[in-house]
Amino acid sequence: MRQMKLWMLAAILLCGVSCSTYSNGNANTEKEGQDSVDLVDVTGNFDFMPALDQYLVDSVGSHYAPGEMCIPCATIVACDQSTPDSVMVWGDFWVFNFNVAGDTLKTVSGGDHPGLMCLKKNAKGEFEVISFEQVEDGHGNLESAKRIFGDMYEAFHGINSDEETREEARSLCISRYVKAHNLPVKYYQDYGWPAKEIPEKLMRPKH
């Protein structure tokens, strides 16, 4: 059995836009004490993230009621980058479809799809998702989650079961998307709930 080189990245938020914050494969961070902090320092190369996020948009978000835009939000639990042309990514993967109404993103649909994604470089040297093993819904949820995440299950469960952290992750991903696409919006809103302000500063998750 080949040795696994496993980067434990519990509660580190990586969404498609956030990949631009990486330089030479390492996250840029601001010094402690400043008002805003970007992603935490980790070791590893995250050039697979655009492919992962595009997969979430095309192959997961497309199964929900469509909106004007689909925003992926991936919280990475761990990565196996022991081979240069492939990567295994365990994470809590969300998608959210929105419509724009004035200065507000209105949630149309979305959901959670935790599991294991396997990505491999194609002939062009670009990563693409070749398989996605998802945690089952309903009766098989716990058993499949423990099987897929293995020794990383507690790290996954700590992320997945923390509503406050999940909402912080979501607001961060929305903020990054809005900034990257220069959208003239200030709020996002789920049906039946008050609108929430989209944060201007990108804060480090609490974990």
Side-chain angles (χ1 to χ4, degrees):
M1 180 181 294
R2 65 188 176 89
Q3 183 179 2
M4 290 182 64
K5 191 174 184 181
L6 204 60
W7 307 112
M8 293 301 295
L9 311 176
I12 294 172
L13 306 178
L14 303 172
C15 50
V17 180
S18 72
C19 292
S20 64
T21 66
Y22 285 89
S23 175
N24 298 321
N26 294 322
N28 296 324
T29 59
E30 299 181 16
K31 293 182 180 179
E32 191 136 355
Q34 293 183 346
D35 288 337
S36 64
V37 183
D38 204 9
L39 301 180
V40 301
D41 248 339
V42 295
T43 304
N45 191 329
F46 297 95
D47 55 354
F48 60 83
M49 282 306 301
L52 188 154
D53 282 319
Q54 196 61 51
Y55 179 87
L56 287 174
V57 172
D58 294 342
S59 299
V60 179
S62 60
H63 291 287
Y64 289 93
E68 296 174 1
M69 66 201 66
C70 179
I71 301 179
C73 186
T75 303
I76 305 303
V77 177
C79 298
D80 173 10
Q81 294 178 308
S82 56
T83 57
D85 294 333
S86 64
V87 60
M88 299 171 66
V89 185
W90 291 262
D92 196 16
F93 306 114
W94 288 80
V95 291
F96 301 98
N97 290 324
F98 294 98
N99 287 333
V100 177
D103 62 356
T104 304
L105 293 178
K106 300 278 190 175
T107 306
V108 176
S109 60
D112 186 24
H113 296 263
L116 167 62
M117 286 199 192
C118 297
L119 300 93
K120 190 173 183 178
K121 286 186 177 179
N122 57 27
K124 297 180 180 179
E126 300 171 344
F127 275 107
E128 58 184 19
V129 176
I130 59 173
S131 67
F132 181 26
E133 184 178 11
Q134 297 187 48
V135 172
E136 297 178 17
D137 292 327
H139 179 72
N141 179 268
L142 180 60
E143 181 181 355
S144 64
K146 288 186 174 181
R147 173 175 50 81
I148 292 170
F149 285 92
D151 293 342
M152 298 166 289
Y153 173 76
E154 291 302 326
F156 159 70
H157 180 69
I159 296 167
N160 182 259
S161 61
D162 189 333
E163 184 176 355
E164 182 179 355
T165 296
R166 291 201 315 269
E167 190 58 28
E168 288 178 355
R170 184 188 184 201
S171 65
L172 172 62
C173 292
I174 292 171
S175 178
R176 291 187 184 281
Y177 187 95
V178 166
K179 292 177 188 301
H181 293 82
N182 295 313
L183 298 180
V185 294
K186 297 181 179 179
Y187 307 94
Y188 66 99
Q189 184 177 25
D190 295 329
Y191 181 78
W193 291 88
K196 295 182 178 181
E197 189 172 1
I198 297 172
E200 293 184 2
K201 296 180 179 179
L202 304 179
M203 304 300 294
R204 177 184 296 171
K206 290 184 176 180
H207 274 14

